Amino acid sequence: SANGHLSDKVSFEDYLQPFPEGRDSKFVMSASSQFPSGAQSTRLGMVKQGLPQEGGDFCPKQGADGWTDWWFTPDHPHLRSGDMLDFYHKYISLDKNEGKPMTMSFSQGARFAASRARIQARPRAYYARLLAALSKQMSPQEGYWMEASWYDVLHPESMQYKTDLCALPQVRDIMTLGPYAIDSMRQQLIKSAGADCTDCDDIDVDRRLYGAGDFKIQPTGDQVVLKTGGSAIIIVNEPTKFVEDANATVGVQKGISKKAGVSDNAVMVTMSVITSRRLLGRQLATQKVKVDYIIEYMVSSKEGGKTESDKLLAALKAMDSSALAAEILTQIEIASGTPSKYTVTVESFTAPTAISVLNAQGEVEEVTVTVVARATGTAGGSILKSDISMATFLMVLLAQFLA
């Protein structure tokens, strides 16, 4: 990482001080991961420097307010292959994996210091077994899990599958990493830094969020970016639990990506429970959940962007509600590793009316729109930037609503 995996107001020299504050180890917890879902929360001191309440404490002084809301990206290093819980119980806690989810706080980049006595709290054979597990190939998957496990390795008396180390945010809306999550982080930074946070809009995601290096899509040369979005309404037996469940978020995201024919990382979703207003202004929860989705990914050329946008728009317009619901449940079960307790019905799926194709300069090269024909239904077509003015494009969109 370009920031050296050091939290705000922490330097490398801090780890060279013997027995800091009388302790026999030095950890600054800068990230937390939920397993097996892979949901992440990042210490605010990793997102922005100069926050008044940040320092080199084990956990943020602000408690749960010192962390970002939970976020998710499907290509996070913790999720690339295998099962973290199997690894943890086999090599770290040395007990049976009963499939119980756990949350682990850790120091990004395995930045820590420990005394000889603390290291020797585990026998030599314990480390030899770990070394053998991580020596099978270059850059093994287990290395990323090891990064999250070092505190538990060195502190067998306070294993994280038994107790939490830091106060963490409540699990509310676990969002994929994207515009919704970034806006939430900005609001948290403003709250933490106060009114003086004049540059809170400038969050360098690539540098600051562990595992999020692929989020910022920047085309070069002839490459273009396709971007669109829409929404869906789904009926769920336990809507509040569903919205708060990281595995359900994964299921919805991957369900849409599979049926749309795009990579999982191209889809970002956020979910909220729909409420209905009754007499006396009382809000009552329904069994409906609104899903807002954004699809954004890169294509190698402008010509390929035209073909791909036509294909994507056709897939979204033809989305079958029953097939999507079945795929969502399948993906939830894959993410959780257990049969789903949810019943899911897709009441409606709103496909986008247009797909933007952006070039390396961020300019709209092309817009694929859906043209509604009065007699024959719907067809897809492409309009080149050089062929129309913005006014003409708006007229095409207006025609869809008046048809």
Side-chain angles (χ1 to χ4, degrees):
S1 175
N3 66 357
H5 286 305
L6 293 175
S7 189
D8 192 14
K9 301 185 179 73
V10 178
S11 68
F12 181 75
E13 287 73 19
D14 293 334
Y15 292 92
L16 303 180
Q17 303 300 318
F19 296 95
E21 300 177 358
R23 291 175 289 134
D24 59 359
S25 68
K26 171 72 173 180
F27 281 80
V28 178
M29 297 304 181
S30 54
S32 292
S33 295
Q34 295 180 2
F35 297 101
S37 72
Q40 305 285 316
S41 180
T42 306
R43 188 170 180 148
L44 290 182
M46 289 296 293
V47 180
K48 179 175 172 55
Q49 304 295 291
L51 296 176
Q53 298 186 62
E54 260 297 349
D57 303 275
F58 182 79
C59 297
K61 291 180 181 178
Q62 312 95 297
D65 289 337
W67 299 86
T68 68
D69 284 337
W70 293 98
W71 54 270
F72 173 83
T73 183
D75 63 347
H76 193 280
H78 288 163
L79 299 174
R80 288 175 182 166
S81 64
D83 188 330
M84 164 59 173
L85 292 180
D86 280 344
F87 172 82
Y88 180 88
H89 288 283
K90 183 175 181 178
Y91 293 102
I92 309 299
S93 62
L94 306 180
D95 55 14
K96 182 180 179 181
N97 177 15
E98 297 180 348
K100 182 181 178 181
M102 63 180 293
T103 300
M104 298 188 71
S105 297
F106 60 97
S107 179
Q108 293 186 26
R111 301 290 191 195
F112 66 88
S115 69
R116 177 186 300 177
R118 175 55 63 185
I119 294 171
Q120 292 178 348
R122 299 280 196 182
R124 184 178 183 276
Y126 178 90
Y127 295 104
R129 189 165 180 260
L130 270 176
L131 179 60
L134 271 69
S135 300
K136 298 176 181 178
Q137 64 186 76
M138 294 290 292
S139 188
Q141 172 68 52
E142 292 84 354
Y144 294 102
W145 298 335
M146 193 69 226
E147 177 187 21
S149 303
W150 272 113
Y151 185 87
D152 288 35
V153 167
L154 297 169
H155 299 80
E157 74 282 3
S158 54
M159 305 286 283
Q160 293 189 67
Y161 78 98
K162 295 180 180 179
T163 182
D164 294 331
L165 299 178
C166 297
L168 297 170
Q170 291 184 346
V171 179
R172 295 187 291 271
D173 296 334
I174 296 178
M175 300 170 286
T176 53
L177 187 61
Y180 298 104
I182 300 305
D183 183 65
S184 170
M185 292 176 194
R186 289 191 183 104
Q187 298 306 314
Q188 289 174 283
L189 288 174
I190 292 172
K191 178 181 177 181
S192 180
D196 295 333
C197 191
T198 57
D199 59 346
C200 279
D201 284 340
D202 184 21
I203 300 179
D204 191 343
V205 178
D206 286 345
R207 293 181 60 193
R208 301 299 179 186
L209 294 190
Y210 173 77
D214 293 331
F215 164 65
K216 190 177 290 183
I217 303 176
Q218 182 59 55
T220 59
D222 293 333
Q223 295 174 333
V224 293
V225 170
L226 272 61
K227 187 171 184 179
T228 191
S231 63
I233 303 297
I234 59 179
I235 302 174
V236 190
N237 55 329
E238 298 181 81
T240 301
K241 181 180 178 181
F242 188 84
V243 167
E244 295 175 350
D245 187 345
N247 293 320
T249 302
V250 174
V252 173
Q253 180 199 24
K254 290 190 175 182
I256 294 174
S257 69
K258 303 298 184 190
K259 304 312 291 185
V262 299
S263 68
D264 296 335
N265 196 40
V267 180
M268 297 174 282
V269 300
T270 185
M271 302 192 296
S272 58
V273 177
I274 297 176
T275 56
S276 61
R277 185 175 293 276
R278 296 292 182 88
L279 292 177
L280 305 178
R282 185 181 178 186
Q283 291 281 354
L284 297 177
T286 67
Q287 287 192 307
K288 296 183 179 182
V289 170
K290 182 182 180 184
V291 178
D292 291 301
Y293 68 88
I294 292 175
I295 299 177
E296 183 176 8
Y297 60 100
M298 194 155 57
V299 181
S300 60
S301 67
K302 177 181 174 180
E303 292 72 21
K306 178 183 184 302
T307 301
E308 186 68 22
S309 60
D310 287 342
K311 177 182 175 183
L312 175 60
L313 189 58
L316 293 173
K317 293 294 292 183
M319 186 72 72
D320 181 86
S321 296
S322 297
L324 177 58
E327 188 65 44
I328 289 173
L329 286 174
T330 296
Q331 295 301 324
I332 291 174
E333 292 182 351
I334 292 174
S336 64
T338 59
S340 176
K341 297 180 181 179
Y342 298 113
T343 57
V344 175
T345 301
V346 178
E347 182 180 75
S348 63
F349 183 88
T350 304
T353 56
I355 298 178
S356 298
V357 182
L358 309 175
N359 63 19
Q361 289 72 45
E363 301 170 337
V364 177
E365 283 287 345
E366 179 180 333
V367 179
T368 298
V369 299
T370 303
V371 181
V372 178
R374 294 180 183 275
T376 59
T378 302
S382 297
I383 302 177
L384 297 179
K385 179 182 66 174
S386 59
D387 294 337
I388 64 166
S389 66
M390 182 55 70
T392 304
F393 170 57
L394 292 175
M395 289 175 64
V396 172
L397 291 183
L398 180 61
Q400 298 178 74
F401 294 101
L402 297 178

